[in-house]
Amino acid sequence: MSTLESQRSLQEAAVAQFQRAADLIGVPDPLREILSKPKNEIIVNFPVKLDDGTTKVFTGYRIQHNNIRGAFKGGIRFHPSVDLDEVRALAAWMTFKSALVDVPFGGAKGGITMNPKVYSPEESERIVRRFTHALGSNIGPSHDIPAPDVGTNSQTMDWMMDTFANTSSPSTRQTLKGVVTGKSVSVGGSVGREEATGRGVLYSLRHWCGENDVSLEGLKISVQGFGNVGGHFSRLAAKEGCLIVAVADHAATLHNGNGIDVEALYQWVKENGSVADFEGADKVDTEDLFSADADIFVPAALENQITSARAEELSVRAVFEAANGPTTPAAELVLADRNIDVIPDILANSGGVVVSYFEWLQNKSGWAWSAEDVDSRLRKVLWAAHDQVVERKADLGCSRREAAYAVALSRLTEVYRRRGVFP
Ligand code: GLU
């Protein structure tokens, strides 16, 4: 990565992204300033007893970016790279994502700087419970609603909900399930939430295929990341006839021009923890993922993965940002120059927060929806957002990312215009 690309603050990049769209649609300065900074920043340092009898102090974050349209909403990330700058950017992206798909939430993000893989299940449970306790009343079903993200899952959310409920007054406990989303179905999660982000990427791809008169059947796709998002997306896309020709995770990069048997790979990763040593594909170099012969590239891992050098290598027609912030600003210019369409993160990966909203509604009403209901409503919400972005892109003559921000900013601006600034 060039020095310029690696040194740039992620939060500054996030602010620059919305400012470009704000220029296009003329968002007033005070609102730009409000949206440039998170509303609240909560940092907690908390001790946890480890299995060997020692005690370790962890640092956890919850950044609440904006709540003018509804409760703060966004995931919790456990990863060694988590820091204040990253969580600030991720929180801001949630505000724009929720506004773009028009769910009544704001934006937040949290996390702990740690490698979750090195802790035992018992240690993980103590870390999650103590973090939840440290956050205390900074979260709540009508206030701030965490969800899974990189390094966390439904078990994490089940422990968070259980801790929050058990430390609240007994008479309110049954009303608190919606304090987090992405829970297991047996404890109040929604069917379809686990694969929702991956399914949303597939619905985005189907919309794009419709726009461009391209068939899904035989479409060649490279995927970076084979976790919750990349794994589910690959399985769903393969079922629709797409060929997943290259897959990479933290351990290895695989290639098979005839299409990888994704179900077999999914089982392999479940049993072995990574794609390494899977026999149904060739092991290739990390950079070969970007130069692989494919129609679509799906980054489904971390930020800043598509650098300008890698953008020069890609020969795809479109990039679907399943991860948050995977394209550096410099790479974005290269992709635009090379006529590679970018379906931005706040649109392509919004399936997760949409089904989180469905889960929250189900928790409020006590009524569980069917898988068909969840999927058809998800598709409707996503395609409506895609249609609005396409329309705005044509009106403004801008990129899809700018159009997506323009749609989101219009909604936010309207609420500020009506509500004003207190007092
Ligand atoms: N972590 C996911 C995201 O980045 C989901 C957030 C949510 O469901 O609140 O969109």
Side-chain angles (χ1 to χ4, degrees), residues 73-75 94 97 109 145-149 181 193 324 349 352-353 356:
K73 185 83 190 84
M94 285 308 305
K97 197 184 298 185
K109 205 77 169 201
I145 307 151
D149 196 79
T181 57
R193 174 62 186 86
N324 291 308
N349 75 28
V353 76
S356 276

Side-chain angles (χ1 to χ4, degrees), residues 344-365:
D345 46 9
I346 59 169
L347 183 57
N349 75 28
S350 60
V353 76
V354 171
V355 179
S356 276
Y357 171 52
F358 297 163
E359 178 173 332
W360 183 76
L361 286 177
Q362 291 170 70
N363 291 158
K364 266 176 165 312
S365 68

Side-chain angles (χ1 to χ4, degrees), residues 353-409:
V353 76
V354 171
V355 179
S356 276
Y357 171 52
F358 297 163
E359 178 173 332
W360 183 76
L361 286 177
Q362 291 170 70
N363 291 158
K364 266 176 165 312
S365 68
W367 182 263
W369 302 4
S370 68
E372 294 73 35
D373 271 352
V374 169
D375 292 349
S376 67
R377 287 177 199 228
L378 169 63
R379 183 170 46 78
K380 230 170 127 186
V381 171
L382 283 191
W383 283 5
H386 273 277
D387 288 343
Q388 287 154 14
V389 170
V390 169
E391 199 180 307
R392 200 56 85 87
K393 178 173 170 277
D395 282 355
L396 297 170
C398 63
S399 71
R400 258 181 225 267
R401 193 185 312 279
E402 286 159 351
Y405 275 90
V407 172
L409 278 166

